[in-house]
Amino acid sequence: MRWIESGDVRLAVVEEGDPDRPTVLLLHGYPDTHQVWDEVAERLRDRFHVVRYDVRGAGDSSAPADHRHYDLDHLAADLSAVLDEIGKPAVHLVGHDWGSLQGWDAVTRPGIRERVASFTSLGGPGLDQTALFLRHGRPAEVAAQGARSWYIGAFQLPVLPELAWRTFVPAMLERTMRLRDGIEPRPGHPAATLPKDAANGLWLYRCNSVGRRPRDPRVDVPVQLIEATRDSFVTPALLASITRWASRCWHRRIVAGHWAHRGRPDVVARMIAEFAGHVDGGEAGGSLRRSRVVPGRGAFGDRLVVVTGAGSGIGRATARAFAAHGAEIVCADIDAAAAARTADGITQGLAGTAHAMPVDVADAAAMESFAEDVRARYGVPDIVVNNAGVIVSGPFLDHSLDDWRRTLDVNLWGVVHGCRLFAAQQVERGEGGHIVNIASMAAFAPTVVLPAYSAAKSAVKTLSECLRAELAADGIGVSVICPGFVSTAIARNATYVGPDLRELAEAGAELRGYPPERVAAHILRAVRRNQAVVPVNTEAKLGYALSRALPGAMRGFARLSAAVRNV
């Protein structure tokens, strides 16, 4: 640690790593000190020159004699003094909470913005951008943000906030960290100087929140906005609104609370390093590339979607639907030519981005290689649709063991492989995601002609509900889609044992006239709304309702179908 003079205060500065490497400058928030960044700094210092300092009035830095000197002009002067001491032509600036607010202000100021190569904002919008949101945003969204920002008004009161910070609030803060963010206090955070730091820092709000005239909010520095999806203080609507003011903006999400850099330091450090490396001339990885904010981009424009069984039917329709809404698609199928046709149809017909990859979902080793190839080439998928399936139709006693193995290997084990491998990648990445498993109304409507298929799809439905509960904490949604009769080639491609019902099945599917594109629309809606179980079309919805309300009736229909078959 060393000290730098800035006006009438002395700033405590900490440096780590090789000074000849690119510099990352970390700004802490309220009521923290530079030590809140310890975990992230530890992960960056081997690749960067990492600099941190305690803002005026916090930690080991001294406080100004005049409380009015907590305004943004003096904070900017402090940052300039640190930049002068570093002596680099440009640094990668990173801010959290009030450090982020300070950063947004700094990158609009002549004399500082030229010395900032990039700015990463975590958990804090700019005051100028926020003022415009509050003035022009939708009333419901403005009200929601106002409810989260109640403490700003409380901080304007005299004496009481200082008294609260010196008595019961530090204990409340530690409980909040544990219960909301799932992080444990440790030496340095909260700092031993917390009561003093918090009392001094109240003037950050008192000097800058009320009566300030907004400045030009536009930012020309490359900005990476990291949204902590469980932040209790900032709404997604506010964060989304400020991206419009940065001419070059990347919007990324991390499944974490307000102190994401404490709870998920690996993820935060990786995002900082990826962005800094890209701004310095490195190639952007798939996740960073897709997070670039582009006006007019579709609802899934920043998503990588993997669809198995994408060569035909529901899989092909789903791949095309996601692509039409801007997603980048990996079209996987055991039939390499069919996967290529779907991918070509997306790239040429929809002007989208798609890649064809052959894979047998029933082969565990092949699926492991496939999952690793997807990650290496394109990044961790945001959405995985486990769609590949086969049908063996006929009575139970006519099913051979090979019929059972083939049905379960594709319809159940294929889903297990897809869930296990890609969910593990999504959990490790820490940015959330969604898994969609295609089941069938056969999962809850027993029938005498599809025993193996029904057993597999029932297992897929139950697996999906189990997985949904397990992965919720990681921000990963799981939906199971249960279509009824759909006009695809699955009936024509099915294997029939016992009585040959092929012509009847094909005619029934054709007569039903329910196209796979409508199933794809339900899948996209399920991802957007994070729906759990989605019965598709009338017969599936009716069957699902009866299976829950009158399960005996469903068994009766199964017995009736057996009697009709035997006539």
Side-chain angles (χ1 to χ4, degrees):
M1 182 178 291
R2 57 180 168 138
W3 283 265
I4 296 175
E5 302 295 328
S6 177
D8 66 339
V9 301
R10 190 173 68 157
L11 303 175
V13 180
V14 174
E15 293 184 74
E16 300 170 84
D18 186 349
D20 291 332
R21 292 181 176 175
T23 297
V24 172
L25 176 55
L26 305 172
L27 299 176
H28 68 80
Y30 172 86
D32 299 324
T33 70
H34 79 275
Q35 290 179 288
V36 74
W37 287 108
D38 282 353
E39 290 86 353
V40 171
E42 180 182 0
R43 288 158 173 79
L44 292 175
R45 64 192 180 198
D46 290 338
R47 291 173 287 173
F48 296 93
H49 173 225
V50 182
V51 180
R52 298 174 279 164
Y53 68 94
D54 291 333
V55 301
R56 53 178 54 210
D60 290 317
S61 293
S62 62
D66 189 336
H67 288 156
R68 292 174 298 178
H69 291 177
Y70 281 96
D71 64 338
L72 285 169
D73 289 337
H74 284 82
L75 294 176
D78 293 346
L79 177 59
S80 291
V82 174
L83 292 173
D84 289 342
E85 186 69 18
I86 294 172
K88 294 286 189 68
V91 303
H92 298 284
L93 188 65
V94 181
H96 170 252
D97 188 76
W98 247 100
S100 182
L101 270 66
Q102 181 182 343
W104 280 103
D105 172 77
V107 295
T108 66
R109 291 177 178 261
I112 294 182
R113 63 189 177 201
E114 298 85 1
R115 305 166 74 179
V116 176
S118 73
F119 172 49
T120 293
S121 169
L122 173 61
L127 290 178
D128 298 318
Q129 295 82 2
T130 300
L132 291 169
F133 169 79
L134 296 177
R135 184 179 304 170
H136 303 294
R138 296 177 179 176
E141 294 175 345
V142 171
Q145 180 57 53
R148 295 197 187 192
S149 302
W150 63 269
Y151 58 91
I152 296 178
F155 285 173
Q156 308 304 318
L157 298 173
V159 181
L160 291 179
E162 284 89 344
L163 180 62
W165 274 113
R166 290 190 170 96
T167 53
F168 63 90
V169 172
M172 289 180 57
L173 180 66
E174 292 192 7
R175 283 197 299 272
T176 298
M177 290 168 52
R178 289 191 179 99
L179 296 177
R180 291 189 180 179
D181 282 25
I183 59 177
E184 288 294 325
R186 50 119 171 110
H189 186 242
T193 54
L194 175 62
K196 169 188 72 71
D197 300 341
N200 288 337
L202 290 168
W203 291 97
L204 293 169
Y205 294 90
R206 293 167 177 170
C207 291
N208 299 294
S209 300
V210 179
R212 181 176 179 272
R213 175 175 292 183
R215 298 166 50 194
D216 186 345
R218 289 172 293 184
V219 175
D220 292 327
V221 170
V223 174
Q224 175 178 225
L225 176 65
I226 301 178
E227 176 184 340
T229 59
R230 293 172 179 163
D231 195 323
S232 302
F233 303 105
V234 185
T235 61
L238 171 56
L239 293 178
S241 75
I242 65 177
T243 62
R244 74 187 67 175
W245 302 113
S247 59
R248 291 171 289 171
C249 187
W250 289 254
H251 186 180
R252 311 180 78 175
R253 294 171 180 84
I254 177 173
V255 181
H258 181 68
W259 287 279
H261 43 334
R262 283 282 329 275
R264 301 302 299 267
D266 289 327
V267 180
V268 172
R270 171 175 57 80
M271 289 181 172
I272 293 171
E274 287 176 350
F275 188 56
H278 175 56
V279 170
D280 284 342
E283 184 176 354
S287 176
L288 179 61
R289 173 173 51 81
R290 285 184 293 272
S291 70
R292 179 78 181 263
V293 176
V294 178
R297 173 180 279 179
F300 294 97
D302 58 347
R303 300 290 190 264
L304 174 66
V305 181
V306 170
V307 182
T308 66
S312 62
I314 293 173
R316 179 173 59 195
T318 300
R320 290 179 60 84
F322 273 115
H325 287 80
E328 181 177 349
I329 313 296
V330 174
C331 303
D333 201 285
I334 194 171
D335 184 341
R341 286 193 294 272
T342 299
D344 290 344
I346 290 171
T347 56
Q348 298 172 16
L350 299 177
T353 303
H355 320 280
M357 297 182 70
V359 68
D360 180 0
V361 299
D363 186 330
M367 280 294 287
E368 289 185 3
S369 297
F370 169 68
E372 285 303 315
D373 286 347
V374 169
R375 175 160 58 180
R377 296 182 188 183
Y378 314 115
V380 175
D382 302 284
I383 301 166
V384 177
V385 182
N386 292 304
N387 164 75
V390 297
I391 287 182
V392 176
S393 176
F396 171 79
L397 294 178
D398 290 331
H399 276 58
S400 68
L401 286 178
D402 285 341
D403 293 331
W404 274 93
R405 289 191 184 99
R406 179 166 176 257
T407 302
L408 295 179
D409 281 350
V410 175
N411 295 337
L412 176 57
W413 276 108
V415 173
V416 171
H417 297 323
C419 290
R420 180 177 65 87
L421 296 166
F422 287 113
Q425 291 184 9
Q426 291 176 345
V427 169
E428 180 185 4
R429 180 183 62 169
E431 299 176 40
H434 207 99
I435 294 175
V436 178
N437 296 327
I438 307 302
S440 164
M441 68 174 289
F444 43 77
T447 171
V448 298
V449 295
L450 296 171
Y453 183 80
S454 296
K457 294 302 185 180
S458 296
V460 167
K461 177 179 175 294
T462 302
L463 167 65
S464 301
E465 294 182 286
C466 293
L467 198 59
R468 180 180 177 87
E470 179 177 341
L471 297 179
D474 295 291
I476 300 170
V478 180
S479 301
V480 58
I481 311 298
C482 302
F485 301 108
V486 182
S487 300
T488 69
I490 194 168
R492 181 169 62 252
N493 296 331
T495 299
Y496 294 87
V497 298
D500 191 346
L501 303 176
R502 185 184 306 276
E503 291 186 6
L504 180 62
E506 289 186 46
E510 186 64 28
L511 182 63
R512 178 63 179 86
Y514 197 92
E517 288 75 16
R518 293 185 66 180
V519 181
H522 280 276
I523 292 171
L524 268 64
R525 188 180 302 116
V527 173
R528 284 198 300 268
R529 298 178 180 177
N530 191 21
Q531 294 173 305
V533 180
V534 183
V536 176
N537 61 26
T538 303
E539 60 271 20
K541 293 176 181 178
L542 179 61
Y544 186 56
L546 287 174
S547 71
R548 294 166 65 86
L550 298 169
M554 297 301 293
R555 292 189 289 270
F557 286 133
R559 289 194 296 271
L560 180 62
S561 69
V564 171
R565 186 204 65 192
N566 293 328
V567 171

